[in-house]
Structure formats: C-alpha cells, structure tokens
Amino acid sequence: MTLRDQLEKIREERKQSIHDVDDLKKLDDLRVQLLGKKGPITQALRSMKDLPADERPSFGQFANKVRDELKNAIDDRNGELQQAALNFKLQHEKIDVTLPGAPVMQGQPHVIQQIVDQLEDLFMGMGYQVLSGPEVEEDKYNFEMMNLPKDHPARDMQDTFYITKEILMRTQTSPMQARTLEKHDFSKGPLKMISPGVVYRRDTDDPTHSHQFHQAEGLVIDKHITMADLNGTLELVAHTLFGDRFDVRLRPSYFPFTEPSVEADITCFNCGGKGCSVCKHTGWIEVLGAGMVHPNVLKMAGVDPNVFGGFAFGLGPDRFAMLKYGVDDIRNFYLNDVRFLTQFAKKG
C-alpha cells in the first residue's frame, strides 16, 4: 500500500472516529494521536524523502489537505460537544430569577459630611464659592497673612505638626481666605467664599478635643459691609442647622485676624435657654467665632482697607454635629462604629 493509500485510509477511518467521540477529553486525545508529532500524518510527511522527486509536491499537497480536513472535523466536533454540555447545564441547572435577591444595606453620608453638605448648600444658595485648599500649608498663609507673626503669643493656642520651619499641617482653613484674597479681582464683584476642610492641632484627644477635626471658614469682602451683615448671616446659619426656635447672640471676643471680634452663641438645645448643666446655667452655648476682617489681613493680601472691608467667621462641623444631636464625645465620630453612625441615617 502506497503512502497516499495509507493517508486516504486514515482520513476515512478517522473521520468516522471523530464523529463517534462523545467526550471532550477523548476528542483531545484523538487530536494529539492524529495531528501530533508522532501522528500518522506527520510520519507520512517525513517519509516524503523516500518518494521520487516528481511525486513529492503532489503528495505534500494531499497530506496537508488530509491534515486540514481532520483538524476541521475535530474543531467541528469540539463545538458540538461544548454546545451539548452547555445545553445539558441549562436544562439541569436552572435558576429561578424571580426569587428576591439578598438585601443590600444602603449607606449614607457620615454625620460630619451631612453637616458640611448642609453648610455648602446654604452658602451656595447665597452666592458663595465653595473652595478647598492644601492640608499641608505654608506658615506664611496659615499664620503670617492671618496677622499672626512668628512671635505672636496666639500661635501657642494653635500648636500644630510642623514638617519644616515653614511647612506645617494647617491649623485652620483660614489660609484659603488669604490665598483667595490675593487672586480675587474686585472689579468683577465682591468676594464671597466658604472653605470647609480638615485641620490639625497638637491637642490631646478627649471628649471635646481632637488632634484632627473639621472646620469651615467663611469670608465676605466688598464695599460697605457691616457687622449687621455678619449678624444676619450667622442667624441664618443657626436657624438652618438648628431650627427657628434658637436665638443667636454675639459677645465681644478677640481674634488676631478680625477687629472687632465676636463669639456667637445659640440658645441651649438642652434647656431652651432656661439654664442647665450643659450650658453651665447661662442658657447659651458657644458655636463659632467671627468678626470684621482686620485691616492688616487686607493689606497683606494687596487689598485696600480704606475701600474694602468685610467679615469672616469660622465654625466647626464636628461641634455643630455634637450640639445638634446631643453627642457628648467627639471621638465617637471617628471610631467607625456602625452602631453609632447608623443613628444618623436620615440626612439632615
């Protein structure tokens, strides 16, 4: 029997064998047996050297044709077997898609973020910009341009984490006021901004203090701004966050970057102003500091204090949340205790 006859016999017999295979593993074994390096087709091609030279081209073409036919037959059978396996799974492994899925708990913003969101919504509604700045800040912006030179004793109250002598973790979000004042073009209108963010101080953590907390600074600069504008703004903030039943009062105070300066108090939420241990029997609770922007702050930012003036205020979203919800330990906000945080599921 010639080599050509042998290949013809292999083609006919193996095509039937391929068609009869009913298992993917057996089909792969047959593929290796037929088309592998030790298979009959490979062996026949190696035997071409024994044929006369004029027969080799036609035999080579025939051998390649047989190999391709067998390969195609194997591929077709492979597809049929895979489809059959899939059909079997679809028939015997049904899933009832009408059954309800596993419930997924829906989260909500952190209670501090809820306070920040309320503040941002309120001030954006009044035409303020909401700006954020670097938490790693220059001493120049954090202190000096806030009228706190290097030898100023008020710096001791804001002792912070220094990276170098001139670079530190910011103690307040006020640096954004200085940065924005430097760039603002007053020919295009007044400056109205609020800057919420995280600040850092070397405080010992206790129920009312944290080395890291949130602050929101506000600033308005224009012509003819008065203390009455500040008072009206603070009343609106208090009524929005705490409700109309709370009154606001301003007390004289001192801040290096404002003159005159005030502390803002609201009616004690616990006793309604009658006096209790929470408010130390005064009927009031301090919530923020504010005042008219100091002329030195305007001068250092390149703004003429004889033409422009305005007010600034700083409040703590953490403290606002404590007052609003009666939380007695600021550390609860940062412990990530889900039992505590889910009490504030309703936004606002």
Side-chain angles (χ1 to χ4, degrees):
M1 183 180 293
T2 64
L3 285 176
R4 191 182 188 93
D5 293 337
Q6 292 177 11
L7 286 180
E8 184 67 42
K9 182 178 179 181
I10 290 171
R11 177 172 65 176
E12 298 303 324
E13 290 178 353
R14 294 307 187 182
K15 275 188 177 183
Q16 186 61 44
S17 299
I18 292 170
H19 182 269
D20 294 340
V21 171
D22 58 0
D23 181 84
L24 287 170
K25 177 65 171 60
K26 293 179 180 178
L27 181 65
D28 188 63
D29 291 341
L30 184 58
R31 178 188 62 79
V32 174
Q33 179 185 345
L34 288 176
L35 306 179
K37 294 181 179 180
K38 296 181 180 180
I41 297 178
T42 302
Q43 295 298 326
L45 288 171
R46 289 176 179 173
S47 300
M48 283 176 55
K49 64 181 185 297
D50 299 327
L51 296 174
D54 59 338
E55 295 181 12
R56 294 174 189 171
S58 61
F59 178 77
Q61 291 178 0
F62 179 72
N64 288 332
K65 181 181 179 182
V66 172
R67 181 182 58 192
D68 292 343
E69 286 182 6
L70 293 177
K71 181 179 180 302
N72 291 336
I74 291 172
D75 291 342
D76 291 344
R77 186 57 179 163
N78 182 274
E80 292 172 358
L81 292 176
Q82 288 191 2
Q83 185 62 49
L86 177 60
N87 292 339
F88 181 84
K89 283 188 175 183
L90 291 174
Q91 185 175 1
H92 294 84
E93 298 179 11
K94 294 181 180 179
I95 299 175
D96 186 352
V97 295
T98 64
L99 290 173
V104 178
M105 289 185 62
Q106 184 175 2
Q108 72 279 336
H110 190 281
V111 58
I112 301 298
Q113 187 60 49
Q114 292 181 30
I115 298 293
V116 172
D117 289 344
Q118 282 184 278
L119 289 169
E120 290 183 355
D121 289 344
L122 170 63
F123 282 101
M124 284 192 293
M126 294 192 292
Y128 283 59
Q129 303 176 71
V130 178
L131 304 175
S132 60
E135 295 179 20
V136 180
E137 187 55 274
E138 298 179 39
D139 183 277
K140 168 187 173 183
Y141 289 106
N142 194 81
F143 288 127
E144 293 184 29
M145 293 191 69
M146 291 290 104
N147 204 31
L148 283 159
K150 293 188 181 298
D151 59 351
H152 200 291
R155 283 198 181 205
D156 293 341
M157 298 174 61
Q158 296 190 27
D159 195 12
T160 186
F161 303 95
Y162 279 83
I163 297 172
T164 69
K165 289 184 178 181
E166 299 299 328
I167 303 295
L168 50 84
M169 303 301 293
R170 67 181 181 185
T171 63
Q172 52 196 358
T173 54
S174 302
M176 274 308 294
Q177 297 182 11
R179 289 178 176 273
T180 307
L181 272 171
E182 281 186 324
K183 300 176 182 177
H184 188 73
D185 183 357
F186 285 94
S187 67
K188 296 181 179 179
L191 170 59
K192 299 167 66 178
M193 60 160 284
I194 183 173
S195 179
V198 179
V199 299
Y200 305 86
R201 296 183 188 178
R202 289 185 59 199
D203 284 335
T204 301
D205 288 7
D206 62 30
T208 58
H209 296 85
S210 174
H211 66 281
Q212 171 187 308
F213 56 98
H214 294 78
Q215 196 174 67
E217 298 274 347
L219 177 69
V220 174
I221 301 294
D222 197 7
K223 299 176 182 178
H224 313 302
I225 299 294
T226 68
M227 184 70 81
D229 298 309
L230 171 61
N231 186 66
T233 300
L234 298 183
E235 283 189 353
L236 181 58
V237 172
H239 291 162
T240 299
L241 266 71
F242 300 105
D244 293 338
R245 70 184 186 279
F246 291 91
D247 293 325
V248 178
R249 76 171 184 180
L250 302 181
R251 291 181 291 106
S253 186
Y254 168 76
F255 299 109
F257 30 82
T258 52
E259 180 62 39
S261 303
V262 294
E263 297 274 5
D265 302 333
I266 66 167
T267 308
C268 177
F269 64 87
N270 189 56
C271 65
K274 297 178 181 178
C276 65
S277 59
V278 174
C279 61
K280 299 179 181 178
H281 301 284
T282 65
W284 300 92
I285 294 180
E286 175 190 328
V287 292
L288 58 85
M292 306 304 292
V293 178
H294 199 291
N296 288 347
V297 173
L298 296 174
K299 288 178 183 177
M300 285 185 283
V303 179
D304 187 351
N306 296 315
V307 178
F308 295 97
F311 62 78
F313 58 86
L315 56 87
D318 310 58
R319 182 164 177 75
F320 271 36
M322 292 179 71
L323 294 173
K324 182 171 184 177
Y325 298 113
V327 177
D328 59 3
D329 194 326
I330 193 174
R331 292 171 293 190
N332 288 328
F333 293 131
Y334 303 108
L335 295 178
N336 291 330
D337 188 333
V338 176
R339 295 169 299 177
F340 172 79
L341 296 176
T342 50
Q343 296 178 78
F344 313 101
K346 184 177 179 181
K347 190 169 183 180

